């Protein structure tokens, strides 16, 4: 029997309409590419979004058309999020840190009709120009006064909007209508597209604040350093307006001093981003001896936060929580809010609990599949690959049947490629990316665990552990590290330091010092690049020395 | 174009499954009809819910069947909420305060197959017995030791559950599947049924904590005095587990001293219910000179909280917020969380802001329709009847086409029967029930405004304003009041006190003292009953005196 309840489609534009009514005085503060700070309320944002939808209609954009962005975090980018989706088209956010080859692949594969770009990316577009699809129209996200000389024909964003009406007859769309498109930064093969829907986006936005309760407070300010050009900036463009928070958009300058200044000036309460960014901010905090005024909550995702980083921020009074997710999951899968029983736990226990990826968010189901293909118990011990299911998880890759076939199991669950355990409370511990595990003598060694242990040595600023081939053991771990100061510890010292937590056979066989670690387009350490750079590398034992560890 | 996202049905049982995984140590504390306090975790609750679903299956309950409850707030009632809906049947909660005639109408109209009742309601069932439908099976919510002698055949709840497996293969149901049924306590005509769905219930549960942020804190305890037998106890059976709160269930004793003792003993953080209950608790608080330990948040709904009540609780350090809704809305339509700009407002301004019904919740849309049938602006001035739309609003009444036809406008919006204004921030002010307005000389007078003003006089403990017929003016307001002490103020004194806020012609023409005000089955003042009792009443002017107000 069916219930007798109204069925209203879940729609993205309704979140901005709600914010404009319920939190009309909150809005967006943006550090602009033009160099200044810009402020507008959600009421103004809704009006400009309506103007944009009119302009897009005039330019011939129809339902289902892809409209691309190449932009930093700012109010115009947010207007594109809502305006494009609101009219029934698809907002395709492009990560400008990808290679030219990947960028061109994505633009062609998506079939973009329009591309909106920040001033910063004019040179990038000029480089891509010869290979762009015919008929792709370009719009520069600025006003007439700032329009640059370009080698391509481009429209001016503010001119497009000027004179358009400030309301729009937003269509009633079926909630499964596509709304957004984001390609994974795939370390192998071509990037693959996740095609979000209105339903998946709204449900994701409703689920996240329910779990990550410490970060959401009406009237406070939240800083997404996580880019709008990648996985919906973890949903903040939706959850912030829904919960009555003002967004502080950092624009292009993400170094520690720039972030500190912006956060201090705007009294940012909560900040979200990847560990590499927070390492930069931490250096500035330690230089100044204090955190920016009002800063109380840090959400770390994208890759695991090192324990030392969590400790350092918590020591400054900042509540740290980790979230874990994937482009294919909208992206949030877990949240780091501690269960109630930690209210009276020791700082030690609290930090330990914060070092896992967190507990599953409502709406995301977990299945841990062992080597034997069987579901493993959620007992904190059994290890396997994590499969996920839920309304915010993709059901396939955009126009890519081959990748789709490879990504799902027979029951339709999506395989994350992460090797994990889950405890009885639903707490996820990511042991490794399946492809980053070190397999030595038939046993698995977690590269993440080794990295965390090495990082707790004061002589190491950043590091990565990679597996190197070995004829007898199959693979052996090697530590690639950036020194924290001038005095470089020896491999023996590092091994001694790590030996507390590991068996001897699990410790790295070699230590290679580097100036810095290569990053992926989303700010994660690129082990793929490290492995490529180490082509031809031979382990100490095989090259006839045992380093200073013998 | 469709998105490529998984489509998982929104299901009620998933909320309890989530709580059992994410907040396994939280659960339910129940003051039982048997007289003791009972405690169980969400893990135990999920296991018992599985046992219940097995038992229901064994008793022949099939999808779509209606299973009725006549019970106070307690863990077994909550198990019925989840177990019945989880297996695809419909949990039909019955309000025991309705008249025998209404109860029988409802049970027959719903076509209930089973009825679960608390020990308290055995005499009620015995009174209804001759007219109950044939084949209706009765289950008493207790264990064997407490099973009473009854004039009807009855099963024992705990015996039903004993021996059943503690997990159940919960079916995957389409999200529009009916899950719950609740009849309005309709003051005119037969009660009308709202048939909730899994989708409407889950979305309602996701939307409420997003707005009512001050009331939801993982690890804290929440007391629903609002009954589970009426409009889903405002959603708390779902929002509490979802947000990691423990439910404290008051059972049958809702007087001030009982509530104070329970709240004190269990350190209740947030309490939800109707104003009449909070008046009783306030008397106990004032007698003791303090609030129960840990009590910080009060949510008032069902009818408007008098300003003096809000002031009294706030003076004791309790954050008061009002919510407004209807059985037909699942029920919550507005929430009382103040917008950020009140953070630094004066206490005076904050109290004034708290006296309205609050702002619309995300997911509920408002349309105010004026006398001319046209939508009125949301400007805080224009007044009209409120129409609502959203996923948590009914699309019709259960098996009642006539009532359905009368309740919706041509665009499919549901007419609430409330006369309101809405300001630009979405803040709702309920001017009156359409049928409670006083129409005098072609102008409308709000009975609610008059009652609030009269209540602020120290000599009045409770009151109601009703319209009485007048040959010239059409209707005139009459104040029916309960005295606060022995000294009864005169009508002239009350009118003087109220004159600050009203024109002379708006003030009541008469004052009638009563011992107490009649209440409806949901604890609201029954103006219908007052009007019935005043049959034959003649206004002072018409009976040749002008009272002491002349």
């Amino acid at each position: 029997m069916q219930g007798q309840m109204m069925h209203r489609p879940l729609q993205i534009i309704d979140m901005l309409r709600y914010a404009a009514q319920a939190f009309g005085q909150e809005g967006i503060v943006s550090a602009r590419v033009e160099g200044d700070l810009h402020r507008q309320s959600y009421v103004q944002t809704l009006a400009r979004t309506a103007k944009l939808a009119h302009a897009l209609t005039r330019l011939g954009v129809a339902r289902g058309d892809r409209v691309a962005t190449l932009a930093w975090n700012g109010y115009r980018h947010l207007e594109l999020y809502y305006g494009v989706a609101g009219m029934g088209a698809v907002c395709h956010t492009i990560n400008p840190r990808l290679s030219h080859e990947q960028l061109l692949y994505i633009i062609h594969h998506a079939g973009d009709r329009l591309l909106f770009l920040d001033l910063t990316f004019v040179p990038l577009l000029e480089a891509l120009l010869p290979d762009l699809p015919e008929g792709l129209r370009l719009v520069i996200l600025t006003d007439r006064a700032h329009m640059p000389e370009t080698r391509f024909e481009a429209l001016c964003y503010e001119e497009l909007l000027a004179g358009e009406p400030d309301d729009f007859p937003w269509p009633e769309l079926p909630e499964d209508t596509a709304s957004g498109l984001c390609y994974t930064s795939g370390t192998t093969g071509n990037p693959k597209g996740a095609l979000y829907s209105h339903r998946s986006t709204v449900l994701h936005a409703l689920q996240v604040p329910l779990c990550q309760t410490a970060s959401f407070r009406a009237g406070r300010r939240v800083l997404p350093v996580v880019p709008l050009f990648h996985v919906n900036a973890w949903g903040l463009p939706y959850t912030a307006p829904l919960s009555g928070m003002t967004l502080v958009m950092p624009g292009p300058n993400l170094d520690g001093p720039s972030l500190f200044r912006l956060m201090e000036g705007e009294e940012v309460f909560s900040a979200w981003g990847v560990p590499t960014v927070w390492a930069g901010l931490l250096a500035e905090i330690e230089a100044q001896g204090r955190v920016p005024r009002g800063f109380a909550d840090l959400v770390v995702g994208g890759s695991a936060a090192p324990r030392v980083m969590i400790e350092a921020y918590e020591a400054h009074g900042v509540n740290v929580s980790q979230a874990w997710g994937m482009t294919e999951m909208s992206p949030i899968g877990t949240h780091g809010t501690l269960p109630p029983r930690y209210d009276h736990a020791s700082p030690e226990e609290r930090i330990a609990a914060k070092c896992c990826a967190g507990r599953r968010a409502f709406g995301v189901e977990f299945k841990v599949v062992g080597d034997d293909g069987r579901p493993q118990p959620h007992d904190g011990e059994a290890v396997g690959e994590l499969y996920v299911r839920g309304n915010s998880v993709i059901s396939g890759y955009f126009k890519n049947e081959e990748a789709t076939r490879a990504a799902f199991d027979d029951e339709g669950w999506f395989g994350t490629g992460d090797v994990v355990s889950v405890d009885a409370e639903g707490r996820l511990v990511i042991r490794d990316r399946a492809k980053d595990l070190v397999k030595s003598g038939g046993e698995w060694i977690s590269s993440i665990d080794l990295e965390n242990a090495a990082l707790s040595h004061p002589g190491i600023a950043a590091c990565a552990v990679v597996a190197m081939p070995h004829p007898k053991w199959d693979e052996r771990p090697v530590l690639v590290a950036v020194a924290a100061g001038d005095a470089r510890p020896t491999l023996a010292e590092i091994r001694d330091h790590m030996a507390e937590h590991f068996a001897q056979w699990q410790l790295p066989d070699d230590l290679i010092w580097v100036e810095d670690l290569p990053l992926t387009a989303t700010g994660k350490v690129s082990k793929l690049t490290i492995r490529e750079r180490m082509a031809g590398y031979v382990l100490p034992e095989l090259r006839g020395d045992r380093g200073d560890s013998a």
Side-chain angles (χ1 to χ4, degrees), chain A residues 119 140-149 154-157 159:
Chain A
L119 284 166
I140 299 181
L141 290 162
T142 193
D143 53 25
R144 175 50 57 191
H146 290 85
M147 279 295 279
E149 289 290 319
L155 299 165
C156 164
Y157 184 81
E159 278 186 352

Side-chain angles (χ1 to χ4, degrees), chain A residues 268-467:
Chain A
V268 166
F269 165 72
S270 178
W272 298 44
V274 297
T276 41
V277 166
W278 304 130
L281 178 65
L282 187 58
E284 180 67 16
I285 286 172
E286 284 172 355
Q288 299 219 17
R290 64 183 186 91
V291 298
R293 191 159 39 111
F295 179 38
D297 184 76
L298 179 66
V299 180
V300 188
S303 51
R307 185 188 177 103
V308 287
M309 177 183 287
I310 298 176
E311 284 170 339
Y313 275 102
E314 293 261 339
H316 282 287
V318 175
N319 173 49
V320 179
S321 55
Q322 300 201 65
W324 166 87
M326 295 181 76
T327 303
E328 291 88 342
M329 296 173 69
S330 299
I332 300 223
T334 64
H335 64 95
T337 306
L338 294 187
R341 66 193 174 83
Y342 286 93
D343 281 358
H344 306 291
S346 69
E348 187 68 13
E349 280 178 291
R350 291 174 60 85
I351 298 279
K354 288 183 172 203
C355 283
C356 71
R359 288 168 301 139
R360 75 178 181 94
F362 177 72
V364 181
E365 290 173 89
F366 288 168
K367 181 170 73 170
V368 181
V369 180
D371 279 347
D372 57 0
R374 296 226 179 119
Q376 302 293 300
H378 292 190
D379 59 4
E381 299 292 328
V383 167
E385 189 185 341
L386 179 64
Y387 284 77
V388 294
R389 187 168 75 169
N391 281 297
S392 48
V393 180
I394 63 164
S395 60
Y397 288 106
F398 182 55
K399 291 200 242 165
N400 191 336
E401 285 181 23
E402 192 190 332
T404 299
R405 267 194 304 277
F408 295 85
D409 73 7
D410 294 343
E411 295 175 314
W413 293 67
F414 173 75
T416 64
D418 282 315
V419 176
V420 306
S421 61
V422 179
D423 71 14
E425 280 183 341
R427 191 155 48 183
L428 183 73
V429 178
I430 306 222
R431 303 302 178 101
D432 220 331
R433 288 293 296 166
K435 61 180 181 299
D436 291 339
L437 279 175
V438 183
K439 189 166 198 180
S440 176
E443 300 279 344
W444 295 103
I445 309 173
S446 161
S447 63
I448 291 179
D449 288 351
L450 290 176
E451 287 157 11
N452 269 321
L455 262 183
S456 68
H457 189 288
I460 292 184
C463 71
V465 167
V466 289

Side-chain angles (χ1 to χ4, degrees), chain A residues 211-269:
Chain A
C211 309
Q212 191 80 28
T213 46
S215 306
F216 291 90
R217 302 267 175 85
R220 303 284 180 88
R221 295 175 161 206
V222 58
L223 174 84
V225 176
V226 50
L228 269 73
F229 60 66
H230 190 59
V231 283
N232 311 315
W234 303 350
L236 283 172
Y238 309 115
T239 51
L242 258 187
S243 55
M245 298 183 85
T246 279
L247 283 159
V248 178
M249 299 290 210
N253 301 314
L254 307 178
D255 59 289
S258 296
L259 287 179
F260 192 105
R261 252 194 320 278
L262 180 65
M263 292 171 73
E264 171 96 351
E266 298 301 322
E267 290 196 53
V268 166
F269 165 72

Side-chain angles (χ1 to χ4, degrees), chain A residues 49 187 195 326:
Chain A
T49 297
T187 44
L195 188 66
M326 295 181 76

Side-chain angles (χ1 to χ4, degrees), chain A residues 42-58:
Chain A
Y42 286 131
V43 175
Q44 292 168 315
T45 305
L46 179 62
R48 283 174 52 89
T49 297
K51 287 172 180 286
L52 172 62
H54 282 290
L56 290 170
T57 306
R58 190 161 39 83

